[in-house]
Amino acid sequence: AAGVIQSPRHLIKEKRETATLKCYPIPRHDTVYWYQQGPGQDPQFLISFYEKMQSDKGSIPDRFSAQQFSDYHSELNMSSLELGDSALYFCASSPGLAGSTDTQYFGPGTRLTVL
Amino acid sequence: GQQVMQIPQYQHVQEGEDFTTYCNSSTTLSNIQWYKQRPGGHPVFLIQLVKSGEVKKQKRLTFQFGEAKKNSSLHITATQTTDVGTYFCAGRRLNQGGKLIFGQGTELSVKP
């Protein structure tokens, strides 16, 4: 079965650079969530989209922005990168309304390293 | 602060022993999901509990949701080396959308 696709899988950036992470949800899933997982920590919710509109916002820095496109893929844009942004970034998708009981399926993640 | 507390943080067991991890939320949850994450991997969905007092079983895994929908547990009977990984509970708070609030996770190691 098709899963969530994330690209790139690994990304190395310098401080103050920008990065763009991409997420392709499972076909027919219209809700996308972004999570950040630091080393040895649990995933922290950043932002979510339903039907191309932002549905919820968590602890996402102002330096980050995201959007969901007409084909339901999503991109997380990160600017002025800091060392503390080094983490695993997961995208998860679900088939239903944001706020439903639908299962969230996680992608393989993008490992961002900021030097 | 952490809104969903999960204990223990680490658990080392001998193969064949049982294992339990517990989650407790400061607020009532609409539902709770359990995930397993292997080192270097991504969270893999195990199960979702929605109803008060719900109990679900998957082979050697038993999941419970408390009557007040504030706590949950995962019990593994007769652990195997393939059970190694970090188990996360993740809850959805009432009227706060679909985002998941994760517990800190319990890292399980199994000695053969």
Side-chain angles (χ1 to χ4, degrees):
Chain A
V4 177
I5 297 172
Q6 288 188 248
S7 67
R9 294 292 308 277
H10 302 273
L11 190 58
I12 300 175
K13 291 286 185 177
E14 300 277 343
K15 278 171 50 178
R16 293 180 288 278
E17 285 190 324
T18 62
T20 297
L21 279 54
K22 297 184 179 183
C23 168
Y24 298 86
I26 293 171
R28 291 180 293 283
H29 282 198
D30 47 21
T31 305
V32 167
Y33 302 82
W34 285 96
Y35 293 87
Q36 177 192 57
Q37 186 176 30
Q41 298 182 359
D42 53 283
Q44 296 289 315
F45 170 73
L46 293 177
I47 196 166
S48 63
F49 293 87
Y50 168 66
E51 283 291 343
K52 293 152 279 185
M53 298 288 289
Q54 181 182 308
S55 54
D56 200 354
K57 195 172 181 179
S59 50
I60 183 170
D62 292 340
R63 299 177 290 108
F64 294 5
S65 65
Q67 56 183 324
Q68 186 178 32
F69 294 86
S70 57
D71 63 351
Y72 295 104
H73 94 272
S74 179
E75 294 184 4
L76 177 65
N77 299 293
M78 311 161 71
S79 62
S80 302
L81 287 169
E82 302 173 356
L83 296 178
D85 296 329
S86 296
L88 264 172
Y89 290 84
F90 289 108
C91 169
S93 74
S94 70
L97 289 168
S100 73
T101 58
D102 288 327
T103 300
Q104 291 183 24
Y105 296 92
F106 281 71
T110 295
R111 183 174 295 280
L112 173 66
T113 303
V114 182
L115 302 175
Chain B
Q2 195 76 26
Q3 297 170 355
V4 176
M5 301 298 296
Q6 187 172 355
I7 58 169
Q9 188 175 0
Y10 303 98
Q11 185 78 58
H12 309 285
V13 300
Q14 193 77 32
E15 189 172 24
E17 292 182 337
D18 292 354
F19 159 76
T20 305
T21 174
Y22 302 89
C23 279
N24 188 61
S25 169
S26 55
T27 59
T28 302
L29 301 171
S30 61
N31 56 79
I32 193 163
Q33 302 186 1
W34 284 90
Y35 290 84
K36 177 182 178 182
Q37 185 176 23
R38 292 182 180 272
H42 63 279
V44 175
F45 174 77
L46 295 177
I47 209 157
Q48 177 172 253
L49 304 170
V50 179
K51 299 176 183 176
S52 170
E54 189 169 17
V55 178
K56 287 188 176 180
K57 293 190 176 184
Q58 287 179 351
K59 298 182 181 179
R60 295 179 294 104
L61 279 60
T62 302
F63 303 84
Q64 294 190 9
F65 201 12
E67 293 290 340
K69 300 183 74 172
K70 286 186 174 182
N71 55 72
S72 182
S73 66
L74 157 60
H75 179 82
I76 301 179
T77 304
T79 54
Q80 300 175 359
T81 55
T82 53
D83 295 327
V84 164
T86 298
Y87 292 85
F88 288 100
C89 62
R92 282 195 178 100
R93 299 174 72 181
L94 288 173
N95 303 318
Q96 290 200 11
K99 63 177 179 283
L100 294 173
I101 310 298
F102 280 79
Q104 300 97 318
T106 296
E107 183 179 341
L108 172 65
S109 63
V110 179
K111 188 175 181 181

